Amino acid sequence: MRKPLIAANWKMFLNLKEALSLAASLSKVNTDGEKDIFIAPSFTNMAVVAEELKKSAPHISVAAQNFYLGADDASSGAYTGEVSLPMIKSAGATAVILGHSERRNIFGEDDAFINRKVKCAIAEGLTAILCVGELLAEREASVQNEVVLAQLGKSLAQVADLTNVVIAYEPVWAIGTGKTATPAGADEMHNAIRTFIGRYYGKSASNEIRILYGGSVKPDNIKALMQQGNIDGALVGGASLNAEQFEKIINY
Ligand code: 13P
């Protein structure tokens, strides 16, 4: 009932030529419409990748990795070096990754800022891929559920409708480390997230919302993850930079 979604987060990798070549390889991957595929290139590569996919693989959507929102939610202004919501939209993004742990932990983005961006993104018709996840120390202190559900509650404050929201659970200790959560361990958190959504948004919202897992997803662990009842897809970093590996993940 929930359509699987496999998303690639290319992070700060690939020059223009490499991004185009990877997009061209991925355009041949056919899922017969049974899965959604999103690709998130860097800002500089996004417009050309979107243009290429529009021609060769319109079933693949482009997501931005972020955008900036000025004071009072300004969507333009004197913010040297930043990229706005109208800019990513006009460059072909139909979705955006928000609240990634790298944004939270390296660039200091907090839940309040992420919440403003989620609200503006969905008001503009984009799909918000909202990332949540605990640090290793938080997992070791057994406070992962409190941490993740607090991130979720604050990032979704005053968001009334989750139709255009996808949640990605990415335990920080599993990102780029080769350590994946066990399928059952990931499913337990996904279940906690779904229960939380049910409590605040009702049963149909909790049944419909897609919850992706991210953190060292590879061709050899995707199947077991996708067999879990509450895992609806994956947000893939490293393995999405290789066409062959990402194709295997899509066709798990
Ligand atoms: P890796 O797949 O490289 O662990 O990255 C996961 C991630 O952060 C996706 O957003």
Side-chain angles (χ1 to χ4, degrees):
M1 69 187 165
R2 291 185 294 268
K3 193 174 182 185
L5 195 176
I6 307 292
N9 178 3
W10 288 354
K11 306 194 179 184
M12 197 174 75
F13 292 102
L14 309 174
N15 64 29
L16 187 53
K17 205 172 150 201
E18 291 163 341
L20 266 176
S21 144
L22 183 52
S25 307
L26 295 175
S27 68
K28 299 184 188 92
V29 182
N30 193 354
T31 65
D32 293 324
E34 284 172 13
K35 290 168 200 147
D36 285 333
I37 309 174
F38 285 20
I39 288 176
S42 68
F43 289 136
T44 55
N45 295 340
M46 194 164 56
V48 275
V49 166
E51 206 54 45
E52 162 67 28
L53 292 174
K54 202 160 77 180
K55 280 184 272 167
S56 59
H59 60 287
I60 301 181
S61 306
V62 169
Q65 297 177 17
N66 187 33
F67 65 85
Y68 187 71
L69 202 53
D72 300 322
D73 294 349
S75 60
S76 64
Y79 299 102
T80 302
E82 292 301 334
V83 173
S84 72
L85 179 53
M87 288 171 189
I88 61 168
K89 219 176 139 177
S90 70
T94 55
V96 58
I97 298 171
L98 294 171
H100 193 281
S101 62
E102 287 147 18
R103 299 301 319 169
R104 292 174 186 268
N105 299 319
I106 304 173
F107 301 98
E109 291 194 12
D110 61 14
D111 289 312
F113 186 45
I114 295 161
N115 173 242
R116 283 171 52 212
K117 293 203 281 186
V118 169
K119 287 188 284 191
C120 289
I122 58 183
E124 281 299 313
L126 269 75
T127 296
I129 304 168
L130 171 63
C131 303
V132 291
E134 81 283 3
L135 299 166
L136 179 62
E138 293 162 340
R139 163 78 45 172
E140 284 172 349
S142 300
V143 293
Q144 66 272 15
N145 283 42
E146 288 91 319
V147 168
V148 166
L149 299 181
Q151 287 173 343
L152 203 57
K154 290 179 194 166
S155 305
L156 290 176
Q158 297 150 346
V159 175
D161 182 357
L162 298 184
T163 309
N164 284 334
V165 176
V166 171
I167 294 166
Y169 169 56
E170 299 204 305
V172 182
W173 47 270
I175 296 178
T177 58
K179 285 186 207 150
T180 330
T182 61
D187 196 60
E188 204 175 304
M189 181 63 84
H190 283 225
N191 185 44
I193 293 171
R194 201 175 296 288
T195 304
F196 179 92
I197 296 296
R199 187 177 325 138
Y200 293 99
Y201 291 90
K203 200 167 171 52
S204 75
S206 81
N207 280 337
E208 279 161 28
I209 194 154
R210 291 187 286 187
I211 309 175
L212 316 182
Y213 170 80
S216 297
V217 173
K218 307 286 176 209
D220 63 3
N221 58 27
I222 180 71
K223 192 167 180 181
L225 288 162
M226 292 303 289
Q227 279 168 343
Q228 304 297 312
N230 286 296
I231 301 183
D232 308 311
L235 181 53
V236 187
S240 74
L241 296 168
N242 177 295
E244 208 176 304
Q245 285 194 29
F246 193 57
E247 174 168 5
K248 284 186 185 155
I249 291 173
I250 293 169
N251 291 321
Y252 54 89

